[in-house]
Amino acid sequence: MNPMPPAASLYIGLMSGTSLDGVDGALAAFPGADGRPVTMLATAYIPFDEDLRAALMGLQHNGPDEIHREALAAVQLAVHYAECVAALRRQHPDAQIAAVGVHGQTIRHRPELGYTRQTNNPALLAELTRLDVVADFRSRDVAAGGQGAPLACGFHHAMFGDARQTRAVVNIGGIGNITVLPAGAAHTIGFDTGPGNALMDAWIGRHLHKPYDENGAWAAAGTIRPALLSALKDEAYFRLPAPKSTGRDLFHMDWLDRKLAPFADLPAIDVQATLAALTADSIAQAIAAYAPEVADVYVCGGGAYNAHLMRRLEHSLRSALPSGQAPAVQSTTALGVAPNQVEALAFAWLAQRFTQRLPGNLPTVTGATGSRVLGALYPA
């Protein structure tokens, strides 16, 4: 637990991502309007129980009584968010918190149709915590013609840019995305690269009844099948130029099962190995296309804790980048933020931006027609 710096605004950020494992929370101090530097004061994690995880997973697809099921899930989700806030406040009982920034749980992401849907009940969260809550960060960017994602790129730009060298920040959650920070952090680029952990988690869940492949051990013991890898890469999304974003609306188990149909005899362990290669290759190829001069690659999200996937990403980058170039691949811990707290901290930053009526999006990332203040306020 870090001491509170003087004359700083305190914000809480809450993030539950496409991995559907739980809520990451961060309490942080922002001394200045630009949000940099940040002092991380406390972190917390509240896992989803199996009922909530199943309910949220079920909402990823069309089904009966969706409005009712989503409303019930949103109530449960707000209770989990409130538990995370309480855990953070216990670490700093006297903290005067300006606002809570909460992402909600994405269940549909269709910016090409003009909408994105994050299940949430911010009114209940405000009632339970008696704090100002800022939510619904994505819809304003979509209304302005943008993808509404990825939104953490603005935070990456503010926090991790370097005047001397080009960096890439890679988030590997359920979906993978990259932020390219050119030297000087000018004209930041970012987009979703494709599957992160979502397909690997679902595959090991189906075959070994585990929630995830710890350290990528199962994938590491398998053999990458080039024909299957080629078939998986044969997806229009990978060929689209940025700006672009995706989610479970595209990369889900039905998609994988269709791709696997001609490969029915492959061992499940080899499929897992090939899925890890798909994640690593799609990230590496995106970096090669938009940042061939990259000096360092910093990884956050759950994928940063997958030792096999990190090694595979290094291998994929060596193959994808110009000959002889081998950027260092390390977690964002090297930049002062633990991999599992980057996105929670980003939503604390976005809440600060909202309260100061400052833009939270980067049009160069999302494709919006301009900078916009993101979020909606639910007062304490």
Side-chain angles (χ1 to χ4, degrees), residues 26-58:
L27 169 62
F30 295 84
D34 63 355
R36 186 177 186 181
V38 171
T39 300
M40 182 81 84
L41 300 174
T43 63
Y45 173 72
I46 303 296
F48 289 156
D49 55 65
E50 282 304 312
D51 288 345
L52 178 55
R53 189 175 189 278
L56 293 170
M57 186 67 77

Side-chain angles (χ1 to χ4, degrees), residues 64-239:
D65 212 9
E66 283 183 285
I67 294 175
H68 176 67
R69 290 189 293 116
E70 183 189 1
L72 292 178
V75 170
Q76 293 183 60
L77 192 59
V79 171
H80 281 68
Y81 288 149
E83 289 177 5
C84 194
V85 170
L88 292 166
R89 296 175 87 175
R90 282 194 294 271
Q91 298 174 60
H92 281 283
D94 298 325
Q96 300 298 307
I97 297 162
V100 177
V102 57
H103 172 259
Q105 187 66 52
T106 299
I107 59 167
R108 296 286 196 283
H109 184 65
R110 300 299 301 274
E112 77 281 7
L113 299 178
Y115 79 92
T116 184
R117 180 75 172 183
Q118 283 69 50
T119 294
N120 202 355
N121 192 330
L124 178 57
L125 182 59
E127 191 68 25
L128 293 172
T129 62
R130 298 295 180 176
L131 294 171
D132 285 0
V133 172
V134 185
D136 190 24
F137 289 98
R138 298 190 185 275
S139 62
R140 183 61 190 274
D141 185 85
V142 173
Q147 293 286 310
L151 288 187
C153 298
F155 173 71
H156 299 161
H157 171 98
M159 284 294 298
F160 301 143
D162 188 279
R164 300 160 297 176
Q165 61 183 15
T166 295
R167 293 174 168 177
V169 179
V170 178
N171 177 58
I172 309 178
I175 297 296
N177 58 65
I178 66 168
T179 305
V180 175
L181 301 169
H187 197 72
T188 296
I189 301 167
F191 55 92
D192 291 340
T193 56
N197 299 313
L199 295 178
M200 290 186 286
D201 290 351
W203 189 251
I204 197 171
R206 176 185 287 183
H207 291 276
L208 299 186
H209 309 292
K210 295 181 178 180
Y212 62 95
D213 187 2
E214 187 172 359
N215 270 328
W218 196 42
T223 300
I224 297 169
R225 299 298 185 119
L228 174 59
L229 183 58
S230 178
L232 294 173
K233 289 180 178 179
D234 186 18
E235 169 56 53
Y237 181 81
F238 295 124
R239 297 186 289 274

Side-chain angles (χ1 to χ4, degrees), residues 301-313:
Y305 299 98
N306 183 325
H308 170 69
L309 186 58
M310 292 285 278
R311 291 192 297 270
R312 187 69 214 174
L313 179 57

